[in-house]
Amino acid sequence: MFTAISVLAALLLALALYTAVLSAKIARAYPPRGRFVEVAGAKIHYVEMGPDKPEGAPIVLVHGASGNAGDMVASLMPELAKRHRVIAFDRPGHGWSERPNLPNMTSPTEQARIIHAALEKLGVRKPVLLGHSWGGAVATAYALEFPQALSGLLVLAGATHVWEGETAWYHRLVATPVAGWLFLRTLLGPGGQLLMGPGVTGVFAPDKAPPGYAEAIGLPLLFRPGHFRSNSADSKNLRSHLVSQSKRYAEIRVPTIIVTGNRDQTVLAKLHSYALHNEIAGSELVKLVGVGHMPHYVRPEIVIDALERLARGEAPRAGMHVVEPKA
């Protein structure tokens, strides 16, 4: 008995040391890309690009689950920044943003409030706001909470409605006292290394991820205990927040464009994007045939065109618009 306990303790210690060393190594390899603004006692990380004389409204980009601002920096930002002031945020507790010590920080509305306060401090007025995946819940919450503060809304493969089924087992485990603490500090390091590749493949399916995607966006940042804890809490609680939020979408009056791939298996288009389009009067739904959950990599020109139209103050082209695959 004593020997078995000793072996287990030694194994846990070795895994804890490995995870701690790996977290430090990841932090050095993927340092902050941008700057920080303090909101509610927390440092919120953002990346800003743009020309000396930007055109139209500013554009703000909000990433989804399991990611960080690098997802937008590596995809949409370089092209948009040729003409527009563009800001991409690490959501609270993700990437290099700290998590404010406030109740209900898993709520899209609370995260929208943090981003709104950050934009106020940065002097950003009436931006066009894009939210991808989990960030789509933040973007729609922002449109409900601060309708006069937006020039336009783009929901990109957004998680906006209640779905059936359980969240991933590890999100539930992280929320468990003691076991969750142990998981984050022992198994997260090696587990993250094993699961990162299949995770990227799955989120892009049926499309292929661009070479070097994980490194380009700084995906390994996810596999630090603090970031992973925030991501798990957000993922585990999103559905409960959407129960009430999804009942209010008909109130949205911000010019809205919704872009989705009809083969998205991560956030099902019919359940989320199509339903949202039906609930927001005058909205434009762009259906990308054959595309999965990452349209900003697979068809970036479509997403950029939609953002730039909103930034110029053009009205959405109400109705569904089908975009076939490239020849």
Side-chain angles (χ1 to χ4, degrees):
M1 173 65 77
F2 179 76
T3 302
I5 292 175
S6 299
V7 170
L8 178 60
L11 177 60
L12 290 174
L13 178 60
L15 288 170
L17 287 172
Y18 174 79
T19 296
V21 170
L22 180 62
S23 294
K25 182 178 179 182
I26 288 170
R28 290 193 300 270
Y30 302 98
R33 302 168 186 252
R35 290 173 283 183
F36 295 87
V37 57
E38 187 168 322
V39 179
K43 293 179 179 179
I44 302 300
H45 178 244
Y46 69 97
V47 180
E48 180 173 353
M49 298 181 187
D52 292 336
K53 296 182 179 180
E55 301 174 8
I59 296 172
V60 175
L61 309 173
V62 179
H63 66 85
S66 304
N68 61 74
D71 185 49
M72 298 298 162
V73 175
S75 55
L76 301 174
M77 220 169 174
E79 182 62 28
L80 287 169
K82 293 177 181 178
R83 295 168 293 280
H84 305 275
R85 182 184 184 187
V86 190
I87 297 172
F89 283 99
D90 281 341
R91 289 194 291 107
H94 297 250
W96 285 103
S97 284
E98 296 174 346
R99 190 85 151 184
N101 186 23
L102 297 172
N104 215 21
M105 276 310 302
T106 62
S107 163
T109 298
E110 288 301 319
Q111 296 196 19
R113 289 171 180 160
I114 295 297
I115 292 172
H116 176 69
L119 291 172
E120 290 278 298
K121 281 199 167 186
L122 295 174
V124 179
R125 302 288 184 263
K126 301 269 298 183
V128 171
L129 178 63
L130 175 149
H132 172 243
S133 193
W134 208 104
V138 176
T140 47
Y142 197 113
L144 290 167
E145 192 80 357
F146 308 106
Q148 302 304 316
L150 288 179
S151 291
L153 173 68
L154 195 151
V155 182
L156 180 63
T160 54
H161 289 72
V162 178
W163 67 94
E164 294 184 1
E166 292 291 336
T167 53
W169 63 268
Y170 45 84
H171 295 320
R172 301 194 299 276
L173 177 60
V174 168
T176 305
V178 182
W181 187 92
L182 282 172
F183 171 80
L184 288 172
R185 285 157 181 79
T186 58
L187 296 177
L188 177 60
Q193 300 306 296
L194 291 172
L195 296 175
M196 186 160 51
V200 169
T201 299
V203 80
F204 270 89
D207 306 298
K208 292 189 180 300
Y213 166 80
E215 293 75 19
I217 76 161
L219 182 59
L221 289 169
L222 171 65
F223 301 106
R224 298 167 299 159
H227 187 165
F228 199 88
R229 184 191 303 110
S230 294
N231 186 67
S232 287
D234 286 352
S235 298
K236 179 177 179 294
N237 290 287
L238 178 59
R239 184 168 53 179
S240 63
H241 293 303
L242 291 177
V243 171
S244 56
Q245 180 173 311
S246 62
K247 295 175 182 177
R248 298 184 56 204
Y249 292 141
E251 300 173 25
I252 293 178
R253 294 292 182 266
V254 176
T256 300
I257 300 177
I258 301 157
V259 180
T260 185
N262 75 333
R263 295 200 52 196
D264 188 340
Q265 296 302 307
T266 302
V267 177
L268 300 179
K270 287 185 179 179
L271 178 61
H272 299 271
S273 295
Y274 297 5
L276 184 66
H277 169 58
N278 290 334
E279 290 159 350
I280 301 178
S283 64
E284 173 183 340
L285 174 64
V286 181
K287 180 174 79 170
L288 305 175
V289 176
V291 173
H293 189 55
M294 304 293 277
H296 47 313
Y297 284 89
V298 180
R299 298 301 303 267
E301 75 284 1
I302 301 296
V303 182
I304 290 169
D305 172 71
L307 285 169
E308 292 194 319
R309 285 191 282 120
L310 290 171
R312 290 193 297 265
E314 296 181 19
R317 301 163 186 167
M320 179 186 286
H321 303 268
V322 178
V323 179
E324 298 291 343
K326 291 181 180 179

